Structures are given as structure tokens and as C-alpha cells.
Amino acid sequence: MDYQVFLVFLGIVGGGIIAASPTALGVVNDESVLHIAGIFPIGGKGGWQGGQACEPAAMLALEDVNKRSDLLPGFTLRLHWNDSECEPGLGASVMYNLLYNKPQKLMLLAGCSTVCTTVAEAAKMWNLVVLCYGASSPALSDRNRFPTLFRTHPSATVHNPTRIKLMEKYGWSRVAILQQAEEVFISTVEDLEARCKRSGIEIITRQSFLSDPTDAVRNLRRQDARVIVGLFYVVAARRVLCEVFKQKLYGKSHVWFFIGWYEDNWFVENLDQEGIKCTAEEMKMAAEGHLTTEALMWNQNEQQTISGMTTNDFRERLNKALKKRYEIDEERYPEGYQEAPLAYDAVWAVALAFNKTMEKLNRQGKRSLKDFTYTDKETADDIYSAINSTQFLGVSGYVAFSSQGDRIALTQIEQAVDGKYVLLGYYDTQSDNLTWFNRERWSGGKVPQDRTIVRRVLRTVSLGLFVSMCTISLVGILWAAALILFNFLHRHRRVIQLSQPACNTLMLVGVVLCLGSVFPLGLDGRFVEGEAYPTVCTARSWLLCTGFSLAYGAMFSKVWRVHRLTTKAKADPKADEGWKLYVMVGGFLFVDVALLLSWQLTDPPERGIEVFPLEDPLNTEDDIKIRPELEHCESQHSTVWLGILYGYKGLVLIFGLFLAYETRSIKVKAINDSRLVGMSIYNVVVLCLITAPVTMVIASQQDAGYAFVALSIIFCCFLSMALIFVPKVIEVMRHPGEKERGSDGAQSDGGMTREEEERYRSLLAENDELQKLISAKEEKIRLLKQRLEEKEAAEGGGNRGKQRHGGRRRQVDSPAGVFTISEIDRKIPITHKEWL
Ligand SMILES: *[C@@H]1O[C@H](CO)[C@@H](O)[C@H](O)[C@H]1NC(C)=O
Ligand SMILES: *[C@@H]1O[C@H](CO)[C@@H](O)[C@H](O)[C@H]1NC(C)=O
Ligand SMILES: *[C@@H]1O[C@H](CO)[C@@H](O)[C@H](O)[C@H]1NC(C)=O
């Protein structure tokens, strides 16, 4: 590359004089001129044609820079430029023309992201520093790809720290992103995602669209997006906003972040031209309350900048300059008006950097800036480091560059309030300084939430039900206790003594335990903490199981005993084998304890939560949903354990039912209440067999489930107590005088008087005696008959004799008189049953 531009070094002579009035002279001696190249997008269609205002601004800057005597003394800065129309190809062509044609250029200015990308990627080949005044693409912040690029335009990613700052300020940690599929937005979103991740903000969804945002917005609604960052050009923004209105993604529950560089009333303009199917009124509603972030391109303070102008001075001068070229009405400035200060400051940055480089080169006394060629890497590095360290206060604010070559800038945050933008504050990324004016307004009166707040509500047994069940249980427990006392006080009464009172006491203890289980059954989240719940579970199973075993076991062993007495012929009803009853109850209890203990130890109960579908709160003003939850006692293998328990209890129940049926009409003296016990067994079995499956089905309805179980327990207990004890109590009350069993008098136990019993006993004894007698007589008859037959055989037949003997044989003596055989026959099979 031998594109040497020959330049004659003028020396120091007269530089200051020439520099003082370059424009006045019109043509300046080429030896004292520093040439820079500029590419401005002006006459193109589409894209950013910001050169329209930026080029005049750059020219203003050039004028001001060259006027300054302390800047580049002895030199004039000259800008050679052409139009790129924001077309990368044309931009490249313009760049080649500018570089290949004399004079030698020292630096390149460019605008429009696509052109900047092309130019900056190529410029390193000529050792040229590129300064972009109008390019926001985050892709340009890549030092490897663009080693010599700087820009006075902030990168689009400058919004991201501001957005994050606001999200943190309002406590939003769950956001969604809606973007137009354009390179600049894609790289902005990538940066935003990385920053969100660092700040612990969750991005719930990232929706992108080419031109029609309908589906993307709909998806946002589906994902319950509340805080949404929208990245798109203004035309797409109007479509998005209309869709936002239709999907109702606005108002008190939603916050949108838009880009701040749209015009102030962008959401009500061009609706008809662009075929937006929303009215201006609707658009205004949807836009209400949204936030915008915007990199500041105009100095906000009326400070004197490096050029000596304030921002307003600059605006006036720029307007004047623009009016010379364009037909400007009051409202509409040429494109790029917003960015004009950036172009102005870009030229100043170049001049300051050159001034600095020149100073350095002069100090070293070796080279001059004028000697720069496209192969002169050393000078290029000097220029690079000079611009890298350039800092000044320009009309676009404080100008400084990051190590990535990006402009460090303030961002401003605005909010649409009543269709107008209200300035909320500024944010300085570099120093993390948020200046906030507290002017934000939310339509809900408070900061919107970043998500639907789900309130967990524990379903509990209703207090009224719980209290009434517990009251009934308590009455039952007191009643059982009273019955225990009754049993004890009247232990000498026959009616009690013959009812296995200890067994009945066991039953009553069981009833107390069962009724006691009604309390823990209704204890739930209303009364106990989650940690205490397993204890409640344990209490429930132990109380109910042991209570059942005691109460039912006592009744079961009674009917079992009655059954034994009637089936075993040898059994002596008088023998006091009451201890066997307790062994049986003890056996049941032992099995229970063994089962429950092994369950408890190997697979302890835990607090399981059943979750129901979300429900709307009663008060719809609140932006929440309710998730009902229900506590259950659970353990890992609870079905197995319950299966074993229910199986065992079920067998006992069924067997008890069978025994009760078998002995339904048998009365044994030693157990005088067996029929009543049988009846209460029926009732327990039936209720248990209904309750167990039904509670499994309605377990999800805490009130119904609790009511069902509690009522079953209460009903079983009360009925059993009533069946077994009411007759005894009545009996005792009817005969209050009798104290001891031994005392005589008409007395009954369960309907059998003492006389009757005596008679029954004597009859039984008589029966036995008679049976013995009969068998003796039978034996005698058999022998006689045998002898007779032998005789007849000897006589050779005699029918008359046989008849005679037959009549006599049918008479048997008996102590109670003379019975015929047939009468005795009837008496022999006397059972207790017949007697009753
Ligand atoms: C640049 O400007 C010159 C005249 O100033 C013109 O002839 C040329 O066509 C322009 N375009 C390019 C791409 O150089
Ligand atoms: C330009 O450089 C000269 C020294 O060469 C210095 O005195 C002057 O202050 C610099 N100008 C500016 C504006 O920094
Ligand atoms: C933050 O910026 C404001 C102006 O925007 C300034 O007045 C204030 O001193 C700054 N605070 C810090 C800590 O830098």
C-alpha cells in the first residue's frame, strides 16, 4: 500500500495567524491543514439519515475548533465528506474514495450503525481511528473486531444498566422481553440478559417478532408477564401498543419499558397511514404509565461547554444553520437533529485528540501529525491513546470513552403520565448515581408487581364444626368416666357382677380414647404449626387404634366367649374364665402397639400438603391469586401401613360380626349382656365399613371428612355405651335398695329373676340326671332285648310274646314320677335356648 500522500511540513511559522482565520481565507495553505474524512447518511431511503442535521453540526464544530487559537496552533482542521445514504456498500465506496484520493486523512467520522460497522472493520487496515457520531449498535462494542473505533453516540446497551437499576429500585425480579428481530435489538437483549443474570433478575420469556407482534404479545400474556422490556423501532412500537391494548397488558398490573428516542407523541401519530386498528384514545390508554430510558444527547445543564456555548446557544446556532439549508417549519427538524450534538462533539473530540497528540509528538521532537501515513502505526497508536483519554464537557454532555470505545453517558428515565412524558430522573452508569425526582405515577396507586402473587391459604376445618364435635366428644368422655365410676360403685350388684365389669371398664376406656381422638383429628394449621403436625398425626393414629382395640376388643372377646360356651359341650359356664377375656383384649392391644410402633419407627408420619388449583380472591381489587392447601398425615409407605391396619381391623370386624350373629339369641349367665354387646358390634362394624372408604373419597374436603369421621366415632361410642349400660343403670335405679349380691329378694339381672335362675339350674341338673338314668335304662333294655331274642330263637318264634313285651318296655321309672319314653325324648335335648 503505497498511498503516500505527500505533505510538506510548514513548520511553526505563521500557523497561529492562519489558524485564526481559516474560513475567512477560504483556501488555506495545504501544509497547515489536517484533513479528516466524514461519511454522512443523508439522501437515502429508510435507515437513519441523521447526516441531515449532523453534517451541519459537524461543520459548526469545525468552524469553532478552527477559531480557537489554543487548539491545534498553526493548523486547520478540514473535513472531507460524502453521503453514504446509510447503505454499507455505498459507505465503503465513499470511504475508499476519501482515503485513496488526496489529501491524506488522519481520521474518519461515520454515522449510521451499518456503515460504521463496515467502515470501522476496514479502517484498521489504514491505521485509521474511526469516530462514529451516530451508531448505537451494541455489536460495535467489540474491541477485537473494531480495534480503532470510538463513538460519541452511546451504545444501545447504555439503557440496560438503567433498566436493571429501575428493576432493582422497584423490586422487580421477573421480567419479560419483547424485541423486534433486528441486529441492534438482538445484541441489546443479549447484553440485557447477561446483566439480568448478574443481578439475579429472572427473564421469564424472550419474544421476538419480525413485523407482526400479535403472537408475541399474546405469548407474553400467557406467561403472566408483568414487567416487559420492549425493544423495537417506532413503527413496530405502535403495532405492539395496539396489541397491548387488545390483550389488556396495560394498567395497574403491567409496566412497559420502551426506548426513549421515539418522538414524544409517537403513540397517537400515523395510526391511519400504518393501518393501526386502535384509536388514538385506546393507544393513549395502553401507553399510560410506561417507562422510557434514553441516553442523553443534549447537555441537560445550562453549563458553558468547552466551546464556550451553552446547550441553548448551540441549539440556536444549529437551527440557524439548518434553516439555511432546509425548509424547516416549527415542529419538524431534519433527521438526526437529536444526535447533532454528538456530531458536534465528535469533531471537538478529534481536535482535542489531535492537539494532545501533537503536543506529545512535539515533545518527542520526532514526527509531526502532518507526516502521518496509512502505514504509520506509531502515530496511529498515539492518536488512539489520545482520543481514548479525551474528556471534556460538550454540548452532548460529558464526553468520555470506555475501553470498548463506547461513549459514557447519562441516561434519563421518563414516564408517560396523562399522555405526556414526565422526567423521572437521571442515571449515571459510570458512578451508579441515580438522581430521582419521585414524580412517578402508577395507575393502581402502588408499584405494580412483577408477578401474580400467589397467596397460600391453608384449608382448615371450620371452627364451629370443630368446637361442636369436641363438645360432644367431651360430653361422651365425661359420660364414659361416669359409667366407669358407676361400674365401680355398683361392682357388688349382680347385674354388674355378671357382666364382666372389668371388661366393660376396658371398653369404656377404649371409648374415652376414641372420643379423645376427635380432638387431634380436627387439629390442623389453624391451631398447630407445621412442625407440630406430625405429632398430631401420631396422636390421631395412637388414640384411635388403641381406643378401637380396647373398646371393640372387649366386646369381641365377650361374644367370642359366649360362642365358645355354647359350642363346646364340656365347657362349664360356672368356671370363672374371665381372665381369658383380658388376654384377648391384651392380644389386640399388643398387635396394635406392635404395628403402630413399627410404623412410627420405620416410616414416621409427615405433614403432606395437598395443593388445589388457583382461585381468585374474594376481594378482586387485590392483584393476587389464592392457592388452597390442605394438610394430610403422610408417610412414605402410608398405603402399605394403612392396608395392613385396615386389613387386620377389617378381619376382626367381620369375625366379630359373625360371632355376634351366631350368638344372637344365646344367653349365658356369666355374661349377661352378650346380646347387647352383639348389637353394638353390628353397629360398630357397619359404621366402620362405611366410614373407612368414604373418608378416603372425601379426604380433600376437610369439613366433610372431619364431620364424617368425628360423627362416626361419636355415634359408635355413644350407641355402644347406651346399649351396654343403659339397661344396667335402669336396673340399678329401679332397685336402689340392693347393695350386695348376697341379699335375697326379687331381683333380676337382665330380665332373669333369681328364682327363675334357681329353677333353671335345678332343671339343668335334673336333665343331666335324667339323661344318665335314661342311658342306664337303655342299656338295661338292650340287654333284656338281647336275652329275649335269644330266648325266642330258642323257642322257635312266638309273636304274641313280643307284642306283650313291647308294651311294657315303653315304661321307665323316674324319680319325678313315671315318664313315657317319648316324654323323656322331648326332655333330653333341652338346651338353654329352648329353656329361654
Ligand atoms: C462524492 O462526492 C463527489 C463530489 O463531491 C461525487 O462526485 C461522488 O460521486 C460522490 N460519491 C462517492 C460515492 O464518492
Ligand atoms: C492544545 O495544546 C496546547 C499545547 O500544545 C495546550 O497549551 C492547549 O491548552 C491545548 N488546547 C486545549 C484546548 O486543551
Ligand atoms: C449524582 O448526580 C447529580 C446530578 O445529576 C449530582 O448533583 C450528585 O452530586 C451526584 N452524586 C454523586 C454521589 O455523584
Side-chain angles (χ1 to χ4, degrees):
M1 285 203 284
D2 52 348
Y3 311 112
Q4 298 259 355
V5 177
F6 74 98
L7 296 160
V8 182
F9 181 56
L10 184 67
I12 324 152
V13 193
I17 306 153
I18 297 163
S21 56
T23 40
L25 290 170
V27 179
V28 184
N29 186 348
D30 197 47
E31 281 146 31
S32 64
V33 177
L34 297 173
H35 300 278
I36 56 173
I39 304 171
F40 291 91
I42 292 174
K45 305 248 178 304
W48 185 70
Q49 303 301 329
Q52 293 168 13
C54 284
E55 192 267 330
M59 288 307 168
L60 275 181
L62 219 52
E63 200 179 298
D64 294 347
V65 165
N66 286 333
K67 250 191 249 169
R68 286 282 282 262
S69 55
D70 63 338
L71 205 55
L72 301 170
F75 287 92
T76 313
L77 207 55
R78 184 177 291 173
L79 177 68
H80 303 264
W81 69 274
N82 219 332
D83 182 12
S84 71
E85 298 179 7
C86 199
E87 292 282 341
L90 188 59
S93 159
V94 167
M95 180 184 73
Y96 293 136
N97 281 339
L98 287 168
L99 295 190
Y100 289 162
N101 293 328
K102 287 171 197 174
Q104 166 84 39
K105 312 294 188 305
L106 288 168
M107 195 173 295
L108 198 53
L109 297 182
C112 167
S113 289
T114 50
V115 174
C116 266
T117 309
T118 316
V119 167
E121 211 162 14
K124 61 188 175 199
M125 299 300 180
W126 286 274
N127 292 313
L128 270 181
V129 171
V130 177
L131 186 56
C132 287
Y133 53 85
S136 63
S137 171
L140 290 169
S141 311
D142 183 351
R143 262 283 167 264
N144 294 324
R145 204 174 147 199
F146 312 105
T148 60
L149 174 73
F150 290 94
R151 40 182 167 166
T152 50
H153 194 295
S155 163
T157 55
V158 81
H159 300 251
N160 290 342
T162 314
R163 292 181 182 126
I164 301 274
K165 185 77 188 172
L166 287 181
M167 288 167 193
E168 284 173 346
K169 177 178 165 63
Y170 288 119
W172 295 323
S173 60
R174 188 177 169 276
V175 302
I177 296 173
L178 178 66
Q179 64 166 107
Q180 196 172 7
E182 293 276 345
E183 205 219 319
V184 50
F185 300 128
I186 290 168
S187 31
T188 307
V189 166
E190 274 163 11
D191 178 75
L192 181 61
E193 280 180 337
R195 284 173 194 276
C196 281
K197 204 169 174 188
R198 250 176 281 151
S199 306
I201 293 169
E202 181 201 359
I203 292 179
I204 50 164
T205 180
R206 176 179 165 173
Q207 298 288 334
S208 68
F209 63 93
L210 272 174
S211 59
D212 180 14
T214 316
D215 289 336
V217 174
R218 220 168 269 164
N219 286 343
L220 289 178
R221 155 131 235 119
R222 214 167 299 140
Q223 304 264 359
D224 187 33
R226 302 301 196 86
V227 179
I228 307 153
V229 178
L231 298 166
F232 19 72
Y233 288 118
V234 68
V235 176
R238 281 190 270 270
R239 292 198 195 120
V240 168
L241 200 62
C242 183
E243 196 57 37
V244 163
F245 177 79
K246 286 181 187 156
Q247 298 290 333
K248 301 235 175 314
L249 277 173
Y250 63 94
K252 63 174 188 204
S253 309
H254 296 88
V255 188
W256 283 86
F257 280 92
F258 287 139
I259 294 172
W261 37 254
Y262 309 150
E263 280 168 59
D264 270 2
N265 50 355
W266 61 273
F267 44 85
V268 290
E269 280 191 346
N270 295 348
L271 297 185
D272 294 335
Q273 290 100 304
E274 288 170 14
I276 306 287
K277 291 186 180 66
C278 291
T279 64
E281 210 44 49
E282 291 169 343
M283 294 290 272
K284 221 169 147 180
M285 267 170 76
E288 183 66 19
H290 77 254
L291 299 172
T292 65
T293 51
E294 186 177 7
L296 284 180
M297 297 176 192
W298 292 75
N299 195 338
Q300 296 303 299
N301 306 322
E302 283 305 303
Q303 298 158 302
Q304 211 179 28
T305 62
I306 191 161
S307 57
M309 286 190 291
T310 62
T311 314
N312 270 346
D313 300 337
F314 171 71
R315 195 188 297 272
E316 275 166 30
R317 272 183 70 196
L318 180 67
N319 290 355
K320 214 186 280 170
L322 289 174
K323 266 181 194 141
K324 272 187 206 153
R325 294 198 203 187
Y326 307 100
E327 295 278 310
I328 298 176
D329 63 44
E330 283 305 300
E331 294 294 311
R332 297 195 70 86
Y333 291 101
E335 204 164 348
Y337 185 79
Q338 275 297 318
E339 291 84 0
L342 303 176
Y344 182 87
D345 283 345
V347 173
W348 270 90
V350 170
L352 288 167
F354 283 175
N355 194 47
K356 207 180 232 172
T357 315
M358 219 185 243
E359 192 188 337
K360 188 179 173 192
L361 293 181
N362 282 347
R363 239 189 359 253
Q364 291 173 346
K366 287 189 286 189
R367 294 160 283 126
S368 161
L369 210 50
K370 218 45 211 162
D371 297 339
F372 178 74
T373 64
Y374 295 132
T375 52
D376 186 355
K377 182 99 173 58
E378 224 177 317
T379 311
D381 285 346
D382 286 337
I383 295 174
Y384 177 91
S385 56
I387 200 158
N388 200 14
S389 60
T390 294
Q391 297 183 0
F392 63 95
L393 186 66
V395 284
S396 65
Y398 192 71
V399 180
F401 302 98
S402 75
S403 59
Q404 296 298 309
D406 281 337
R407 169 72 186 277
I408 294 165
L410 276 183
T411 47
Q412 83 176 7
I413 301 120
E414 290 182 316
Q415 188 185 32
V417 176
D418 294 333
K420 298 222 161 44
Y421 280 106
V422 170
L423 179 66
L424 298 187
Y426 299 106
Y427 181 58
D428 183 355
T429 319
Q430 221 56 26
S431 61
D432 189 28
N433 179 6
L434 181 70
T435 312
W436 201 251
F437 305 130
N438 291 317
R439 294 185 195 139
E440 69 269 31
R441 268 205 359 227
W442 306 107
S443 50
K446 60 176 177 140
V447 179
Q449 324 167 152
D450 62 350
R451 68 195 73 203
T452 304
I453 292 178
V454 174
R455 191 172 294 163
R456 295 162 52 181
V457 173
L458 204 58
R459 282 191 177 167
T460 53
V461 173
S462 85
L463 196 59
L465 181 69
F466 178 70
V467 168
S468 46
M469 288 300 151
C470 287
T471 313
I472 300 175
S473 290
L474 198 64
V475 169
I477 288 171
L478 293 176
W479 171 230
L483 286 180
I484 291 174
L485 196 66
F486 166 84
N487 224 13
F488 176 75
L489 289 179
H490 299 279
R491 64 191 177 282
H492 300 302
R493 304 278 290 241
R494 268 182 66 79
V495 66
I496 301 297
Q497 220 164 30
L498 288 179
S499 67
Q500 301 289 348
C503 210
N504 281 343
T505 305
L506 275 188
M507 192 211 79
L508 288 172
V509 171
V511 163
V512 168
L513 292 181
C514 283
L515 287 173
S517 76
V518 169
F519 294 85
L521 275 172
L523 277 187
D524 48 24
R526 185 200 297 274
F527 304 103
V528 292
E529 295 291 313
E531 304 94 70
Y533 197 72
T535 318
V536 174
C537 292
T538 311
R540 286 179 189 176
S541 43
W542 280 86
L543 281 177
L544 201 53
C545 272
T546 50
F548 176 84
S549 284
L550 279 176
Y552 186 76
M555 299 194 277
F556 179 88
S557 52
K558 271 192 186 180
V559 285
W560 168 264
R561 181 101 185 96
V562 171
H563 192 256
R564 291 279 292 176
L565 287 178
T566 53
T567 47
K568 268 182 113 179
K570 288 277 173 64
D572 181 5
K574 272 192 233 170
D576 185 17
E577 286 182 321
W579 58 272
K580 282 189 177 170
L581 303 182
Y582 312 129
V583 169
M584 187 163 267
V585 176
F588 284 135
L589 213 55
F590 177 76
V591 173
D592 266 341
V593 169
L595 260 176
L596 287 175
L597 258 187
S598 44
W599 184 355
Q600 196 79 34
L601 294 180
T602 61
D603 192 9
E606 283 157 18
R607 179 173 179 261
I609 293 286
E610 187 186 359
V611 176
F612 295 91
L614 289 181
E615 288 172 1
D616 284 319
L618 293 176
N619 178 7
T620 45
E621 283 299 296
D622 290 344
D623 186 15
I624 55 166
K625 292 266 183 192
I626 284 179
R627 178 163 49 219
E629 290 179 345
L630 186 56
E631 289 168 314
H632 288 296
C633 291
E634 270 172 16
S635 49
Q636 251 140 6
H637 309 288
S638 50
T639 39
V640 177
W641 290 108
L642 277 181
I644 295 173
L645 212 58
Y646 280 7
Y648 150 66
K649 302 264 183 208
L651 278 179
V652 175
L653 281 173
I654 300 291
F655 196 45
L657 189 69
F658 164 76
L659 289 180
Y661 179 78
E662 281 286 290
T663 59
R664 64 194 177 281
S665 49
I666 296 174
K667 186 120 196 186
V668 177
K669 180 192 62 85
I671 304 170
N672 61 5
D673 52 2
S674 67
R675 282 172 74 199
L676 300 168
V677 167
M679 279 162 75
S680 80
I681 283 182
Y682 295 148
N683 127 59
V684 170
V685 171
V686 169
L687 274 170
C688 284
L689 292 187
I690 294 171
T691 309
V694 168
T695 46
M696 283 181 174
V697 173
I698 60 170
S700 297
Q701 285 138 303
Q702 75 283 15
D703 275 341
Y706 176 66
F708 203 85
V709 174
L711 280 177
S712 297
I713 292 173
I714 288 169
F715 190 69
C716 275
C717 291
F718 273 79
L719 207 63
S720 297
M721 285 194 289
L723 277 173
I724 295 173
F725 279 95
V726 166
K728 294 186 178 59
V729 174
I730 291 173
E731 180 62 35
V732 170
M733 277 167 44
R734 232 199 277 156
H735 307 284
E738 195 207 27
K739 285 277 175 271
E740 292 289 317
R741 186 196 171 188
S743 65
D744 280 322
Q747 207 247 306
S748 76
D749 56 348
M752 202 200 288
T753 63
R754 193 171 167 73
E755 280 165 0
E756 277 171 342
E757 205 190 323
E758 295 274 271
R759 223 182 102 216
Y760 171 63
R761 223 182 291 153
S762 67
L763 275 172
L764 274 180
E766 193 184 341
N767 201 2
D768 274 359
E769 254 167 60
L770 281 172
Q771 273 190 10
K772 271 183 213 150
L773 209 65
I774 286 164
S775 49
K777 294 280 177 196
E778 289 272 0
E779 184 59 28
K780 214 169 167 184
I781 287 165
R782 199 181 57 79
L783 285 173
L784 284 172
K785 205 168 157 189
Q786 204 177 347
R787 221 179 289 162
L788 199 70
E789 270 166 8
E790 279 166 12
K791 234 181 224 173
E792 269 175 6
E795 282 171 7
N799 290 326
R800 273 175 36 243
K802 196 177 179 182
Q803 279 172 338
R804 197 163 39 95
H805 281 287
R808 228 182 48 200
R809 218 189 315 160
R810 292 187 86 66
Q811 279 192 333
V812 178
D813 289 334
S814 126
V818 179
F819 290 88
T820 63
I821 294 288
S822 57
E823 276 173 300
I824 296 170
D825 278 347
R826 249 185 283 129
K827 270 208 159 169
I828 289 168
I830 267 188
T831 59
H832 316 103
K833 187 162 116 187
E834 262 190 350
W835 186 81
L836 286 163

